[in-house]
Structure formats: structure tokens, C-alpha cells
Amino acid sequence: MSLGDTLAGEGAGSGTAGHGLSLKRQLLLWLLLPQLVLWLVGGALAYRIALSYAEKGIDQSLTQSVRSLARQVKPIGSGLLIDFPRAAQDIMEQDPQDRVSYLVSSPPGSFLLGNGRLPEPPQRLSPVPGEPLLYNAVVDGKPMRVALLEVNYGEATSPQRLRVQVAKSLVVQRRLTTELVADMLAPLLLLGVLLSVLVYGGVSRGLLPLTRLQAQLGLRREQNVSALSPIEMTQAPQEVHALAQAVNQLLAAVRRSLGQEKRFLNDAAHQLRTPLAGLISQTELALAETDPQALHARLSKVLAGAQRSAHLVQQLLSLARNEAEVRLQTLDLAALAREVARDWTPRAMVAGVDLGYEGADSLGVQGEAMLLREAVSNLLDNALLYAGRGSVVTLRVRRLNQQAVLEVEDNGPGLAATELAHLFERFWRASELPGGCGLGLAIVAEIAQRHGGSASAQVVQPHGLRISLSLPVGSWDTAR
């Protein structure tokens, strides 16, 4: 199964399994729900503000009315003259819904004139002579606003108190408030609907790049050849470009991994076919032998073929491992080279080769110790194998400008200048000597490339070969 099938399958599964709301629904929910809440809160606040202003208007009207009515009550001798024409009474009481009632009492609570059903003020409110007092009351089952004013009259030695009350129904006030709020919220509701349509369209348009991205991933089911090809997003927001770039990086990593696996399988199948065929042939011949000496010779060839096959498999695995990402850290290349040279000294002595080290005592590079150790080992293995008995092999580490150079030089037969171009190719061999498989120097070149460096080869005069590995100098060594 390709990565495109996996991603598309996961996308389809997540959409149908119901693990959560889609991104579009979440965006609409977070954009439209606050808008609805704000509309409701705004309506409540608008109603409260309109009601407050209406109450202020009623209070101002009632205050003026109660003062005017109090001025129409005049003391005469031991009585009171109420100059309140009948026509004014009819005007105040003609609208049954917006009824205005009044009450005159002296002393307070003793009915003189008006609507005797107007209630007393609450006990918590204490009227102050000359100052209007406003409070809410219920008269005949209807809410009303009442203004109360008490004044003193008569002689100073025996003052009397007069109470005047004027009440107005709140039904009309609340109806007007409701109509005012409705007139305000209706346009806002239309604007909210228009805004919701624009938000829906904007969210749908903004998510189109994600839809195109999903479509491109879905096409990989039908286009297996280009299943790992990069995603092209020419016109998309920055966030979608970042997502597409991350997916492209993932596709590139998978593409590299699959390429490495395919290359490894091809190399292994190609290179192991011949040794395995030889092993089978030698084994069949050994089974047919009756002479112990001939049988021993056949088995020796089988052992050599098995060792060559094992070495080939080890080199193939090493090559596949080196193609993965490396983790660089600062290390001392000179110390590492000397340590590897000491490990290879016993084999050099058996091969009759003089192995030595020269160069820097310490040189820092950015690298991975295991891979660099393998590169040096391959260089020494190649030199000991092909330089020949009696030759001299020198391992050298030196600094050249901002590069750390590791060299393995021998005075063996060397190579022709025309063969140097093929030296780092896979499975290319300049000699038919047993023991090699044509991968050692290819591994060295791959390791150098993974470390941001390079590998090269030069012919040494009068004869010999020098293979160099150049790596960037480490940060701590650069500060010197």
C-alpha cells in the first residue's frame, strides 16, 4: 500500500467515523455562535437601556404633574381650596391604557379628592416635605409609577400636612420600549443573517485549499506511479503551504526510504546470485568427491565463497545504513583515526604491510563516530588488500583551510588515471583479487556525502594511490 492510500484512507476514516466535528463546522460554530450570543445580549441590554430612559421620562413627567397639582391646592381658613377643573380631570383619565390617576389627602392618608385606591408608599420610604418621592405600585392589577409630594400649610403653631399623589400606568411605556427594541433588533438580525452568509462563504472559500490538498492525496489511489510525487499548491494561504510542505517532506522521506530499499534489494539480488550459484556448484561437486584431499579443496572453496557472501551482505547492510540520516556531533577525527589504525595493525602485520599514522594530534569535525570509523576501516581494508606485501600504507589527518582531510596513501601498484573516475562506483572493481566486492569505496563516498564532505582519489608518483576524505571542521576546532 502506498502512502497516498494510507493518508487518503485515514482521511476518509476520520470523516466517517464521527470522531469529531469537521474543521468547517468548528469554524462556523465558533464564528456564528458568539454572534448569536452577542445579538441576544445586545437585545437584552437595548431593552434595559430603553426601559431606563422611558422610566426617566415618566419620572420627569410625574414630578412636574405632582408639583403642578400641589400648587392647585390652596388653604382657606380652616379648609382647602382645590382649583382643579373638571376638564383637566377628564384629560388625565380619558385613556384607559395610559391612565393617569391622582389622589389628594390631608392629613396624609385621609381621602379628599381623586382615586382612593392609590396605595401608600412602601414603609422603607419616608417622604420629605417639598421633595417628590417616586415608587412603583400595582393598581387594579396593573403596574403603575407613582409620584408623591407632601407640603405643609396652615399656621406655624399648628401646621398641617397635605399629600398629593399622581400615578401613571407603565403598560404603554413597556409597549413602546418593546417596539423600540424590536425596531432596533430587526435590522441587526438582518445584518447578522447577511454576516452569517458572508462568514459561511468565507470559511468555505478559505477551506478550498484543504479540499484540493485532500483531492490530490486521494488521487494517489488511482495514480500509483506518482503516489509519492510532491504536492503542488500554487495558490493557497501560508498555513496550507506550510502543511503541504510538511507533507512533501514526509513524501520525500518515504520516497528516499523506498528507493533505498529497492536499491538494496536490487543490489543484493544482483550481487548474491553469482556467489550463491558458486556455493551450490561447489557443494554439489564436494558431495560427489571421494578423495579426501579433493573434498578438502572443494570445501575450502565453499568456505571462501561463504565468507565472500557474508562480507558482501555486511557491506550491503552498511551501505543501506549509511544512506539514512546521520546525527552530527563534534568529535576528534585525529584521535579516531589513530584508534582505528591501532585496531588494524595486527592485520597489517599479517599482510606484510607497514601501517603508520602521521598528521595532526587533534582535529575537530562534525560527524558521527560510528560512520567515520567505518569509512576509515574501509579505506584501510582497501589499501591492505590491493597494495600488496611489502608496501607502506600511511593514514594521515591534516587541516586544509576550513576542511579536515583524512588520507590513506599506499605505494602499491595503484590505478591508471582513466580508472579513477569509476573508483567510487558501486560494484566496480579494478582487480580480480579475492576478498573484495566493489562496495568499500562507495560506502566511503556515501559517508562523506552524509557529513557534508566529499571523497576523492589521486595517483601517487612513481606508483601508488591516495584516497582523501574531506569534512567540514568542527565548531570547537574553528575557534582555535
Side-chain angles (χ1 to χ4, degrees):
M1 180 180 292
S2 66
L3 178 66
D5 296 335
T6 304
L7 292 177
E10 290 180 355
S14 62
T16 57
H19 294 304
L21 292 176
S22 66
L23 178 59
K24 183 176 182 179
R25 291 182 179 179
Q26 291 188 40
L27 289 175
L28 291 175
L29 181 63
W30 283 105
L31 290 174
L32 297 182
L33 184 59
Q35 176 183 331
L36 177 61
V37 172
L38 290 176
W39 186 83
L40 294 176
V41 172
L45 291 177
Y47 180 81
R48 183 58 188 166
I49 293 173
L51 188 62
S52 174
Y53 277 100
E55 288 181 353
K56 290 181 180 179
I58 290 179
D59 291 347
Q60 185 176 8
S61 175
L62 288 176
T63 300
Q64 294 177 355
S65 299
V66 75
R67 289 186 182 277
S68 299
L69 183 56
R71 285 195 294 268
Q72 303 304 317
V73 181
K74 303 173 183 178
I76 299 177
S78 60
L80 293 172
L81 174 62
I82 301 177
D83 186 11
F84 197 41
R86 183 65 185 177
Q89 298 181 35
D90 294 339
I91 292 175
M92 294 180 64
E93 299 178 356
Q94 67 179 356
D95 189 354
Q97 294 186 352
D98 193 17
R99 185 176 56 181
V100 177
S101 300
Y102 66 94
L103 173 63
V104 179
S105 59
S106 181
S110 297
F111 174 79
L112 292 180
L113 182 65
N115 187 352
R117 293 189 300 273
L118 293 183
E120 295 285 330
Q123 294 182 356
R124 57 185 178 84
L125 299 178
S126 299
V128 178
E131 295 294 334
L133 177 64
L134 298 166
Y135 59 94
N136 292 330
V138 178
V139 181
D140 298 333
K142 296 182 179 180
M144 302 192 75
R145 186 71 169 170
V146 182
L148 181 148
L149 179 63
E150 293 186 356
V151 294
N152 296 326
Y153 69 94
E155 298 179 358
T157 56
S158 56
Q160 301 292 325
R161 179 167 294 188
L162 172 69
R163 173 182 291 175
V164 179
Q165 294 172 269
V166 178
K168 189 173 184 179
S169 174
L170 296 177
V171 174
V172 176
Q173 168 223 6
R174 293 182 178 177
R175 185 183 71 240
L176 292 176
T177 301
T178 303
E179 293 176 356
L180 176 61
V181 173
D183 292 340
M184 292 173 56
L185 292 183
L188 292 179
L189 179 60
L190 294 177
L191 291 176
V193 173
L194 178 60
L195 179 61
S196 300
V197 173
L198 294 177
V199 168
Y200 182 85
V203 170
S204 301
R205 183 177 179 84
L207 293 180
L208 280 179
L210 291 180
T211 305
R212 290 197 296 267
L213 177 61
Q214 181 182 4
Q216 289 194 34
L217 292 176
L219 288 177
R220 280 157 171 74
R221 295 182 183 179
E222 305 173 359
Q223 301 175 356
N224 292 328
V225 176
S226 59
L228 297 178
S229 60
I231 299 173
E232 296 181 1
M233 300 294 292
T234 56
Q235 295 180 353
Q238 182 178 0
E239 293 77 8
V240 179
H241 271 298
L243 176 61
Q245 184 178 3
V247 175
N248 285 337
Q249 291 176 355
L250 175 62
L251 293 176
V254 175
R255 193 163 55 247
R256 284 196 305 270
S257 177
L258 293 178
Q260 292 168 7
E261 293 179 4
K262 183 177 180 180
R263 187 162 56 250
F264 172 78
L265 292 176
N266 291 338
D267 293 342
H270 178 269
Q271 295 298 319
L272 289 176
R273 183 168 58 247
T274 301
L276 290 178
L279 285 175
I280 294 174
S281 176
Q282 292 295 335
T283 304
E284 291 174 347
L285 293 175
L287 291 175
E289 288 289 348
T290 57
D291 184 7
Q293 292 183 352
L295 178 61
H296 182 272
R298 295 293 181 187
L299 292 178
S300 297
K301 293 182 178 180
V302 170
L303 176 61
Q307 290 175 341
R308 183 173 182 275
S309 298
H311 179 66
L312 176 61
V313 171
Q314 182 180 359
Q315 292 290 71
L316 287 172
L317 292 175
S318 176
L319 186 61
R321 184 177 64 248
N322 293 338
E323 290 177 344
E325 297 294 333
V326 298
R327 296 180 179 180
L328 301 180
Q329 58 183 0
T330 302
L331 54 88
D332 191 344
L333 181 62
L336 183 144
R338 289 194 299 270
E339 183 179 351
V340 176
R342 284 194 296 268
D343 294 339
W344 279 81
T345 298
R347 181 174 171 180
M349 296 175 64
V350 173
V353 175
D354 183 8
L355 175 61
Y357 172 84
E358 65 180 35
D361 294 332
S362 177
L363 183 58
V365 296
Q366 290 290 325
E368 186 172 313
M370 183 183 67
L371 295 181
L372 292 178
R373 185 184 301 275
E374 185 173 358
V376 178
S377 297
N378 283 336
L379 291 176
L380 294 178
D381 182 37
N382 189 76
L384 296 180
L385 179 62
Y386 297 110
R389 183 173 293 275
S391 61
V392 178
V393 175
T394 303
L395 175 61
R396 184 181 302 110
V397 174
R398 60 190 177 90
R399 175 170 180 169
L400 181 62
N401 298 326
Q402 294 300 317
Q403 294 288 318
V405 180
L406 183 146
E407 298 174 340
V408 174
E409 182 179 328
D410 65 75
N411 59 354
L415 292 174
T418 56
E419 296 178 327
L420 293 180
H422 305 284
L423 190 61
F424 297 101
E425 295 179 0
R426 294 185 178 190
F427 306 112
W428 184 86
R429 299 186 64 195
S431 173
E432 296 300 328
L433 291 176
C437 59
L439 285 177
L441 295 182
I443 292 175
V444 172
E446 185 72 25
I447 292 176
Q449 182 181 1
R450 291 293 175 182
H451 284 76
S454 61
S456 59
Q458 301 88 29
V459 176
V460 178
Q461 298 299 332
H463 55 80
L465 183 68
R466 181 190 307 118
I467 300 178
S468 303
L469 186 66
S470 299
L471 302 173
V473 174
S475 57
W476 65 274
D477 200 83
T478 304
R480 295 187 176 186

